[in-house]
Amino acid sequence: MKSVIGTSNTLKTACQFLDPQEHQQLIKDVESVCEQLVNPNFRIAMLAPFNFGKSTLINALLGQNIMPVKMVRTTGTVIRIKYGKTLTTIITLKSGEIIRSNDTEILKEFAVLNKKGQRREDVGSVEVLCPHFLLKNGVELLDLPGTNDREAQDVLVRDQLLQVDLVIQILNARQPFTQGEQDTLNQWLIERGIKTVIFVLNRMNEIETQKDKSEIYDDVVSTIKFFKPDLPEGLKKLYCVDALPALEAKQNRKKWQVFKSGIIDFEVSLLTIISLHKKRTSQTRFLRVITMASKVRYILNKQAQELAIEVSNAENIRNLAIEKGKQQEKSLKEEFSKRVEIYQNWLYLNTLVASYEIEAAKTLETKGFYDWQDNKFKPTILDYTQAIEKCVSKACKKFQKSNSNRINISFPEYPKVSLPTRQDRNAGQWIGDIFNGGANRKKLDQEYENKKWQAYKDAVHSYLSEFSKSNLASLNEYEKNVHPLITFSIPAESHEFIDKRNDLNSLNSSIDSIQHIESQKAGINRYKLKILELFKVFIIFWNNWFLHFLK
């Protein structure tokens, strides 16, 4: 079984996820069951509406008038009855002052409701020490305020029930198991994992006929038959005890009347439960822990489901945005690559030569090269570069990035033309031109024009070659610089999203830890009553009982 400290820490950690206002009672219940895990005493509490005979039954068990009775309203606070060699009442005030008395009359002042039905606010705790064998070995009897009277009293009782090991629910034969008492059993006990419960049907002596008594008893049996208490197998869960006649018979030492009141059967069973159930107190308490753990897990499961939906929706939205960004990146890169490729192909020397060498050479020859460069060549270049830069700007706008990169366009210096030297006619050619109509002269002039034209083309070719080389390098550099700008950057997760995912992981971790606690329920079984153990209990009981009557 998981350690007590580990179990407590697991549950308390899980409670940090609960709303302190909405789940205030559950958080308080968890604190109570965790505290009870380490409590060394075996606590027994009397539970009933006010004026049902709780205090009288305690007095009957102890054989003397200890608890205040015969008042319209009696117990106003929790009175803890423990073992002591002499009867002593201890009142601890919230101020720290301790008041002791050798009798219990002082309870009427500090533990009983006043005429307005209010308890004293200055009282911290009330204890009564009593020399009774039932209370030996760390057994406590708790006289709780009556229920169904005031809300403050109900809250006090409800909170105390999680810190007791055995609940004795007292029923009134004149109004047996009202709907309110059934609700108390279900909501205050069963639903909170408190199943170490036995029932005492009080005041059957006030019912006139045996037929009525049988009907009342059968009606109660029918009502509680669904309830399976966590008690040693073989013990009854319902006892008929006439508390007041039992107390009077004990005080007057009328043995037969004591037997007739039903108190002996009840005391033997009570001693059996104390003797045997104390051995498995940790298991019984752990069952309540499991019940509270299940309640906490149920709430955490709902929170985890809601948070998981939020996280999933946020992840889906983010994934859609990432997918959209990647698609935009792909589209923009394709467009960019296409435009770069077009410009790049245009910049290749062969393309430039084929497209512009003749035209440029003519303008160079006619001294109109600058006009051609500024009015025709540059606009074509700008069309290509601006298309590329426009694509990059669009990417920067979509991906929210800044861009200061421009495509550097450089133009070589004015083409240098090395014109050929005109060749003159020799004497023979000069004489020959007299007879052939100047054919030699014309030939030399044509050769000169051809060489001159080639010189202009060579100059333009050098110009275009230098232009191609420098601008291809510039385009390559630009492409490297702007490549990150047309790449979609996956956005970082928001702090809110990270916090929610961490909360979900913590929630699921707590749920897993709680499920581990719950899984241990399978190893907890009801204790089977053994004949030898029951025989020992009878010996202890009759020993103490006869000693009491022989005094």
Side-chain angles (χ1 to χ4, degrees):
M1 184 176 292
K2 198 172 182 179
S3 70
V4 170
I5 296 177
T7 299
S8 297
N9 290 339
T10 295
L11 268 183
K12 289 176 182 177
T13 299
C15 284
Q16 293 176 0
F17 296 100
L18 302 181
D19 186 287
Q21 296 298 323
E22 182 181 356
H23 305 114
Q24 182 179 8
Q25 185 61 55
L26 179 56
I27 295 172
K28 188 189 295 185
D29 288 350
V30 168
E31 289 285 344
S32 294
V33 296
C34 288
E35 289 176 13
Q36 180 67 356
L37 278 176
V38 296
N39 178 27
N41 296 328
F42 187 87
R43 291 175 175 170
I44 304 172
M46 301 289 180
L47 173 66
F50 76 93
N51 204 29
F52 262 43
K54 296 186 311 303
S55 299
T56 303
L57 181 59
I58 292 175
N59 290 340
L61 282 171
L62 302 178
Q64 53 185 316
N65 284 312
I66 293 179
M67 298 295 101
V69 294
K70 297 182 179 179
M71 300 180 70
V72 175
R73 291 187 177 90
T74 55
T75 309
T77 189
V78 179
I79 301 176
R80 302 182 185 278
I81 308 167
K82 303 178 179 180
Y83 182 80
K85 293 183 178 180
T86 59
L87 184 62
T88 307
T89 302
I90 304 172
I91 308 294
T92 303
L93 302 180
K94 292 180 180 178
S95 64
E97 181 183 354
I98 298 176
I99 304 171
R100 293 177 177 270
S101 176
N102 293 330
D103 56 40
T104 57
E105 285 297 312
I106 195 173
L107 293 176
K108 295 179 181 179
E109 179 181 354
F110 290 96
V112 173
L113 298 174
N114 61 24
K115 293 181 180 180
K116 295 182 180 180
Q118 300 171 334
R119 65 172 183 265
R120 290 188 55 151
E121 296 296 333
D122 60 337
V123 176
S125 65
V126 178
E127 292 184 354
V128 174
L129 306 183
C130 178
H132 193 277
F133 70 92
L134 277 176
L135 302 174
K136 288 183 177 181
N137 301 318
V139 176
E140 293 182 21
L141 274 177
L142 271 61
D143 188 11
L144 302 176
T147 60
N148 299 338
D149 183 18
R150 290 176 179 267
E151 184 178 352
Q153 300 293 91
D154 286 353
V155 171
L156 176 62
V157 173
R158 191 180 186 278
D159 290 343
Q160 285 294 319
L161 289 174
L162 281 172
Q163 300 202 3
V164 301
D165 298 294
L166 175 65
V167 177
I168 301 172
Q169 186 166 358
I170 302 172
L171 311 175
N172 189 339
R174 288 195 172 277
Q175 41 181 330
F177 234 135
T178 62
Q179 185 60 49
E181 290 172 289
Q182 293 180 46
D183 291 341
T184 296
L185 174 63
N186 288 318
Q187 298 169 12
W188 291 17
L189 301 177
I190 297 175
E191 291 180 6
R192 301 167 81 204
I194 305 173
K195 296 184 179 181
T196 48
V197 182
I198 56 176
F199 303 93
V200 172
L201 185 56
N202 189 23
R203 296 180 178 175
M204 284 287 272
N205 59 300
E206 298 177 11
I207 306 302
E208 296 179 357
T209 67
Q210 186 60 41
K211 180 182 177 182
D212 289 340
K213 289 181 180 181
S214 297
E215 288 180 356
I216 291 170
Y217 183 83
D218 292 342
D219 183 54
V220 173
V221 169
S222 175
T223 303
I224 65 174
K225 67 180 180 180
F226 73 94
F227 176 60
K228 298 186 183 300
D230 179 27
L231 297 171
E233 290 184 4
L235 286 180
K236 296 189 301 181
K237 55 186 175 184
L238 176 62
Y239 299 87
C240 291
V241 179
D242 298 325
L244 185 57
L247 173 60
E248 293 174 347
K250 280 189 176 184
Q251 289 176 327
N252 296 322
R253 296 182 177 275
K254 295 181 178 180
K255 296 182 180 64
W256 173 245
Q257 295 298 325
V258 173
F259 278 101
K260 186 179 178 182
S261 69
I263 194 71
I264 297 298
D265 185 25
F266 176 60
E267 285 181 348
V268 171
S269 294
L270 195 56
L271 184 60
T272 302
I273 294 170
I274 292 171
S275 300
L276 303 182
H277 214 59
K278 279 183 69 176
K279 298 177 182 179
R280 63 186 299 272
T281 300
S282 60
Q283 292 185 339
T284 301
R285 293 173 178 177
F286 199 76
L287 285 172
R288 299 179 189 179
V289 171
I290 290 174
T291 299
M292 291 302 153
S294 297
K295 290 178 178 288
V296 173
R297 180 176 59 82
Y298 176 77
I299 296 171
L300 296 191
N301 273 334
K302 289 184 66 178
Q303 291 181 352
Q305 289 170 3
E306 293 171 358
L307 193 55
I309 292 173
E310 290 182 26
V311 170
S312 177
N313 288 340
E315 285 180 341
N316 289 337
I317 291 172
R318 184 169 181 271
N319 289 336
L320 287 173
I322 291 173
E323 183 61 28
K324 181 180 178 182
K326 288 182 176 180
Q327 289 177 353
Q328 290 176 335
E329 174 189 320
K330 181 182 178 182
S331 175
L332 288 168
K333 279 187 174 180
E334 288 176 351
E335 181 182 352
F336 177 77
S337 297
K338 181 179 179 180
R339 295 190 181 280
V340 167
E341 184 181 7
I342 292 172
Y343 180 44
Q344 196 173 47
N345 290 335
W346 181 81
L347 284 174
Y348 286 139
L349 180 60
N350 290 340
T351 304
L352 292 174
V353 169
S355 300
Y356 300 104
E357 186 180 56
I358 301 299
E359 183 180 0
K362 288 180 180 179
T363 62
L364 184 62
E365 184 180 24
T366 59
K367 312 300 182 183
F369 184 82
Y370 278 131
D371 288 338
W372 170 81
Q373 178 181 266
D374 294 340
N375 298 321
K376 186 171 183 179
F377 195 48
K378 281 185 179 180
T380 303
I381 298 168
L382 289 176
D383 286 343
Y384 286 124
T385 57
Q386 286 176 355
I388 295 172
E389 290 176 346
K390 184 178 179 181
C391 179
V392 174
S393 297
K394 184 164 63 173
C396 290
K397 185 177 181 181
K398 284 186 180 294
F399 301 148
Q400 297 181 347
K401 296 179 181 180
S402 59
N403 176 33
S404 59
N405 294 282
R406 299 295 301 273
I407 300 177
N408 184 34
I409 304 173
S410 61
F411 294 92
E413 294 181 357
Y414 192 87
K416 294 180 179 180
V417 182
S418 297
L419 293 174
T421 304
R422 180 184 291 274
Q423 185 177 355
D424 291 334
R425 294 172 294 177
N426 56 32
Q429 292 173 327
W430 185 82
I431 294 172
D433 280 343
I434 296 174
F435 301 101
N436 57 20
N440 292 324
R441 178 68 181 177
K442 292 178 181 178
K443 180 180 178 182
L444 290 175
D445 287 344
Q446 185 61 46
E447 289 178 353
Y448 173 75
E449 290 298 328
N450 289 340
K451 290 179 180 179
K452 185 177 70 170
W453 176 244
Q454 188 61 46
Y456 284 119
K457 289 202 315 183
D458 290 344
V460 169
H461 189 280
S462 296
Y463 173 91
L464 293 176
S465 177
E466 187 177 344
F467 175 84
S468 173
K469 183 178 179 180
S470 64
N471 284 283
L472 280 172
S474 175
L475 178 61
N476 185 57
E477 184 67 21
Y478 176 81
E479 192 175 3
K480 289 179 181 178
N481 291 337
V482 301
H483 187 269
L485 302 179
I486 53 177
T487 300
F488 173 71
S489 300
I490 296 177
E493 296 174 337
S494 68
H495 292 299
E496 182 183 5
F497 175 76
I498 292 172
D499 289 343
K500 284 185 177 182
R501 188 171 57 195
N502 289 339
D503 286 345
L504 179 60
N505 291 336
S506 298
L507 268 173
N508 287 330
S509 178
S510 285
I511 291 170
D512 290 341
S513 298
I514 290 175
Q515 287 176 330
H516 178 69
I517 294 175
E518 293 175 300
S519 68
Q520 298 174 67
K521 184 177 182 180
I524 302 176
N525 300 311
R526 291 181 65 188
Y527 190 87
K528 293 184 178 181
L529 193 59
K530 299 176 182 178
I531 299 298
L532 182 60
E533 290 175 324
L534 187 57
F535 180 69
K536 290 179 181 178
V537 171
F538 268 99
I539 292 176
I540 295 171
F541 175 77
W542 290 114
N543 245 357
N544 286 281
W545 198 78
F546 278 116
L547 284 174
H548 171 74
F549 272 92
L550 288 174
K551 287 182 180 179

